[in-house]
Amino acid sequence: LSGQLGEGGEVPGISDAVTSAMVNHFAREISKGSLSLWPQFVGHARRYFNVTHGYVLRKALWQLVPVSSTKKKSGDGELGADKDWTARVFEGLEVDIEEPDLYIPTMGFVTYVILCGLVKGLQEQFHPGVLSATVNFALVMLVVETTV
């Protein structure tokens, strides 16, 4: 019997079979949706990323000069009305410019990381760790800014 045992006293092939069964079970659970949070996250986050070029321009101008919107708010849907190319629409209703979106902050974050990498590259000091250090620094600063 001792000749049939592998290293550590285990029967060869048992751990592979157990690992395979665990992976198959986990894959079935994910495909059933019981462990999958990604579709729910995408469904909730979609409204914050639904923007157009005109909306981004209007939002950037609004952030520079924040004035109240003089546009009349309508209570009914915007589906039949003329479309405003600077409006953000979610589920047929126009979203106010003052409501938060995640597209502009996310693009600002990504642009900051890329520009830091570009500056380090122009100074011939770039290595892959620069990007991760920049992301970590920016995330720490973001947390500090929002909590303090």
Side-chain angles (χ1 to χ4, degrees), residues 5 7 10 14 28 30-31 34 40-41 50-51 61 70 77 81 88 124 134:
L5 294 178
E7 292 181 23
E10 298 177 1
I14 294 293
R28 277 193 309 270
I30 286 180
S31 66
S34 63
Q40 295 170 2
F41 172 74
N50 184 20
V51 298
L61 290 174
T70 59
R88 185 171 69 141
E124 296 182 3
T134 304

Side-chain angles (χ1 to χ4, degrees), residues 55-77:
Y55 173 80
V56 172
L57 176 64
R58 186 172 142 211
K59 182 77 170 202
L61 290 174
W62 180 79
Q63 288 177 343
L64 291 173
V65 184
V67 294
S68 288
S69 177
T70 59
K71 187 175 182 182
K72 181 185 169 215
K73 307 249 190 290
S74 85
D76 56 323

Side-chain angles (χ1 to χ4, degrees), residues 79-128:
L79 293 175
D82 292 333
K83 295 291 183 190
D84 183 6
W85 67 278
T86 62
R88 185 171 69 141
V89 177
F90 179 71
E91 293 182 354
L93 297 174
E94 185 175 325
V95 178
D96 193 30
I97 189 75
E98 295 157 357
E99 291 215 12
D101 64 81
L102 290 176
Y103 179 81
I104 294 173
T106 303
M107 289 300 108
F109 185 85
V110 170
T111 302
Y112 172 75
V113 171
I114 290 172
L115 285 178
C116 285
L118 180 67
V119 167
K120 289 291 186 179
L122 292 174
Q123 296 172 350
E124 296 182 3
Q125 299 174 350
F126 180 80
H127 52 87

